[in-house]
Every structure is written in C-alpha cells, then in structure tokens.
Amino acid sequence: MAGEDTVETRRALSVTAGLWALLFGPFVVAGGLPVFRDLLVTYLPLRHFWAERVRAGHFPAWFPWEGLGQPFVGQGVTASFHPVNLLYLAFNDALALRLEIATAVLVGLLGQVLFARRLKLSAPAATAGALVLVLCGYALSMTSNPAYLRGLCMLPWVALFASGALTAERPFASVAGLAVTWASIPLGGDAAATLFAALVVGAVALGHGLSKRTAWLALGAVLAGLLAAPELLPSFGLRAESIVAEFRNADFVARFWALHPERLPELLMPRFTSPQQSWAQAATHGEPGRWAESVFFGVPVVAFALTAPRQRLPMMFLGLGVLGLWLSLGIHGGLDFALRQLVPALNSVRYPEKHLALAAFGLATAAAFGVERAIATPRALLPWLGGTALLTVVLRFAFAATPEANLAFGVALATAAATAGVAWLLPRSRAAAWLAPLLLLVALWRTPMGLSTIPPEDILTAPTNLPGRVWVERSSSKTPVDEESLRAWALETRDL
C-alpha cells in the first residue's frame, strides 16, 4: 500500500510539474523583461540593488534611491532575508525576475499536491486542487506582484507541515517544516498571508480534532516568529513612523480595493467586463485600477468545492474559502469592516481583496475533496453543479448586457455542460478521473498580464507609463499580442 501511495504521489507531482512546464516554461525561456505594474517599478530595482550590494561584499541595509534614503530591511517587499534574492546573484535581472514568478507557481503546485496526498486524496483530485490554487484569477493576477503570489503559494506547505505535526509518528521534522514555511511568508514580504497562515493552521487543527499534539503547532508558530524576527522587528519599528501608521480610518481601509459587488459575476464568468469597463468602475470608487486583474474561479471550481464531503476536515477548508470571499468584500460584506473596528491594528493590512488568497487556498482544497467524491459518486456533483449554473444565470441577468458579459456567460455555461459530461464519463472509465483536472485547466487558464515582457534594452527608451500603455493596447486587442508587438509599442511611445 505504501508503494502504491508513493507511485500515486509521483504521478501527481509529475503531471503538475509537466503542466507547469507547458504553461510557464515558454515565459521562462523566451526572454524579455516582465514590465506590468510593480514588476518594473518596484521588484526589479529592489532585487537589482540587493544583488549589487551583496556582490560588492556589503549587506543592503540602506536604500539611497528613494527620497533622502530609506532603510532597506523591514520594508517587506524588499525581502532582504528571503532566498529568492539568490536568483539575482546567479542570473541576469530579466531571467531572475521571470524565474521568481514561475518558481513561485511551481512551489504552490507541488505543495498543494503533497498536502492533498497527505489527506489521502487521489492523484487526479490532488492535481485538480493544485491547478485551482495557481490558475484561479487571483493567483494569475499576482504574477505581477510576486510577494503576494509567493505568500499564497506557501499556504499549502504550511497546511502540509501542520497536518504532519498532528498526525506523523515523529512530529519534529513537521514542526521544523511548519516554522520554516510559515516564516518564509513574512520574510518574502506578505503580511496578509502571514495572518492567513494562522487561520490555515487553525483549520487544520480543528479539522483533525484538538488534542495534546496541538501544542506542536504552537511551538511551530513560536519558531516561525523567531526565524522571521530579523525582518519583523525592523518592520514594526518602521511601521510606527510610516504612512501606514496613519491608516486608522477603518471605513477607508475596508473600502479601498475591496471586492466591489459589481465584480461578483466575475467569480463565475471569466472577463465579465472589459478592461476599460473595469478601470472605469474602479475610478468611480477612487481607485487607480484593480488590485486583482481577475477574481475568476469558475462554475466547475465552485461546484466541485460545494461537492466536498460533509465531514469536518473538508468543511474547514470550504469554510476558509467562504471566509476569504466574505472578507474580500471589505465594507460591502461587513465582516472585514467590523474586524478592523474591533482590532485597529488590522488597518495596517491594506486592501480587502488580498483575502482572495485565503479564498483560493480554501476553495482549491475543498475542490480537491469534491473531485475525489465525484470520482466515487458522480451523482453527488450534479445538484451542486445545477445550483451553481443557476446562480450564474441569476448573476448574468442582474447586470447590464454587454458583449463581454454575453461571451462570459456563454463560456460559463459551456464549462458547466463540460463538467456534467465529465460526471457522466466518470463511472464508465478509470482514466476519466483525469478529465477533472484537465477540465479545470481549460476552464481556468488565461494568460495574465504579469507574463507580458519586452526586450530589456527597450526600457531605456520607453516612457515610464509603458506598463499601463501595454495594458490598454493589449486589452483592447482581440488577438494575443506577442513580444514584437510590445516592442513596437515601446518604440511608438518613446517620444510621448
């Protein structure tokens, strides 16, 4: 039995790694510099500075190129002690930045597979959950903000080692793994996911049942805090003197970059609004664009998640998914606003949409349980699939008709029909179980703007608003834009 489990785990890991190579390999090897949003204006300069100082034999404690200078350690996004910086010592900046994005996705895929396999889920179910984690709209959106992509992708590792600390015969290695993976999240610059990890550990503990071994989780949390202290302690000091300390208005913080109600159809229907409409909607709320380019999960993901067995452990993760969605609504949902009023320190963790990371992990794990149940009892999926499809119809007609909305609605119904077809095939063939992750792959994958690149030499001649120009030009195009087109835009706009 142990041998069969190992073979199943290797199969799932091989499939997910192969799919990662298929989807993200071209981005890594094709060349070019990622430029969208914070990649060009924040991550690249900071990573380059870190590598430059280390090569010169100095620790990068002070960053002189902003204002009159800023402390480098404790800024979070600088990730001063995170091993991701080593990529910039080994490779040129453009390749290192592409690897930073792509390897974060791979880490998330492998972690989610291993966690699902620890929970005794089959290889197809584990693969399905991993694909949901890294290909949902929020995860793909964060390819332009690697600190938050990395934080999301570490959550399954935290869950994996928390589960091991509770169930392994010898918990010491799992406690150490929990401490290292949890500490890596604040060291990598994601304060929000650091808090989400605590909720994940709590969900694992409640799912397995509280016992004396729960104390191992507390030890892991203490060790994680100690490992992250070199970044956390300076961060606390800087925060008290920064603009973040002025974020005392819970009404404002719970409203800015919250998941606004007009985006709810996008949870089930891909690209329900055009990019121009999306930015116009954001402007009405006083927001410069969106925090997340997409919040899409899709009909199959939601249906599979709702199909999860009504047992304590699966329900914990479905609960995390629902909680993340609720909190992401910010002031519109009420809960995030109430918590910020109750605990004012939470106001320093900005942008309620960040809670979609918690939703992504929770729904991915619940969907894996749902796929497992559907493989064993396909009929269990159909009521939830029908209910999700009906909700899609309601959301579609609750908002104004546009060409984008009509297309998104048609795509959502097509994926619902495909999911029903998979349910029909499941009892007829063992191999049909692999159709579930394949379906989720097709339903979820949309090339994100974070994977858009231009030749590095063009940065010297391109205007500072090039990423925004690329966004507008590419989004208004009906066909994918290749690297040559981006280069042409750079040359076209150099004199603007």
Side-chain angles (χ1 to χ4, degrees), residues 14-15 17 43-44 83 130 149 155 163 209 213 232 251 263 286 295 298-299 316 322 412 419 438 447 482 491:
S14 298
V15 170
Y43 288 94
L44 183 66
L149 175 64
L155 293 181
S163 180
R213 301 197 72 170
L232 289 176
D251 180 88
R263 298 193 76 186
V295 297
V299 173
M316 284 294 123
V322 173
T419 307
L438 178 61
T447 304
D482 57 19
L491 296 175

Side-chain angles (χ1 to χ4, degrees), residues 150-350:
R150 194 163 48 243
L152 164 62
C153 289
M154 289 309 299
L155 293 181
W157 290 94
V158 170
L160 170 68
F161 289 116
S163 180
L166 295 173
T167 60
E169 184 177 345
R170 296 181 178 180
F172 307 109
S174 293
V175 171
L178 173 61
V180 171
T181 53
W182 196 344
S184 74
I185 300 176
L187 289 175
D190 190 348
T194 303
L195 300 179
F196 300 158
L199 295 175
V200 168
V201 170
V204 171
L206 292 173
H208 282 295
L210 298 178
S211 67
K212 292 182 179 180
R213 301 197 72 170
T214 307
W216 290 114
L217 301 180
L219 176 59
V222 171
L223 293 176
L226 293 174
L227 289 173
E231 183 72 28
L232 289 176
L233 293 179
S235 177
F236 293 149
L238 289 174
R239 187 174 296 269
E241 301 175 359
S242 72
I243 191 173
V244 176
E246 301 301 318
F247 292 158
R248 301 188 181 96
N249 187 340
D251 180 88
F252 170 77
V253 180
R255 191 181 301 275
F256 192 86
W257 270 337
L259 180 59
H260 297 291
E262 65 260 24
R263 298 193 76 186
L264 290 178
E266 192 185 336
L267 293 171
L268 296 173
M269 291 172 272
R271 297 176 178 171
F272 187 77
T273 58
S274 70
Q276 291 84 354
Q277 291 170 329
S278 181
W279 279 59
Q281 289 172 353
T284 64
H285 300 291
E287 299 168 349
R290 301 292 195 188
W291 170 254
E293 179 186 339
S294 169
V295 297
F296 177 63
F297 285 98
V299 173
V301 171
V302 174
F304 278 123
L306 293 173
T307 306
R310 294 313 184 252
Q311 299 167 358
R312 185 166 54 188
L313 190 58
M315 288 299 97
M316 284 294 123
F317 296 109
L318 181 59
L320 282 182
V322 173
L323 178 62
L325 288 173
W326 188 3
L327 288 169
S328 70
L329 290 167
I331 199 167
H332 310 292
L335 180 60
D336 177 74
F337 178 60
L339 290 175
R340 291 179 187 278
Q341 286 186 309
L342 184 65
V343 186
L346 292 176
N347 290 324
S348 63
V349 181
R350 299 173 292 167

Side-chain angles (χ1 to χ4, degrees), residues 36-37 136-142 144-145 257-259 263 266 278-279 282 287-296 351-354 356-357 471:
F36 187 56
R37 278 186 71 161
C136 67
Y138 184 78
L140 290 177
S141 297
M142 291 303 105
S144 63
N145 221 326
W257 270 337
L259 180 59
R263 298 193 76 186
E266 192 185 336
S278 181
W279 279 59
E287 299 168 349
R290 301 292 195 188
W291 170 254
E293 179 186 339
S294 169
V295 297
F296 177 63
Y351 315 149
E353 272 190 19
K354 289 180 181 179
L356 288 171
W471 164 258

Side-chain angles (χ1 to χ4, degrees), residues 41-63:
V41 297
T42 299
Y43 288 94
L44 183 66
L46 293 177
R47 300 291 186 262
H48 178 86
F49 177 78
W50 187 95
E52 185 179 58
R53 296 299 294 162
V54 170
R55 286 195 188 100
H58 302 287
F59 181 75
W62 184 259
F63 187 68

Side-chain angles (χ1 to χ4, degrees), residues 75-98:
Q75 297 282 3
V77 70
T78 58
S80 305
F81 301 100
H82 196 281
V84 72
N85 288 295
L86 298 177
L87 291 172
Y88 295 80
L89 291 178
F91 305 104
N92 65 67
D93 289 345
L95 176 56
L97 186 54
R98 298 198 305 274

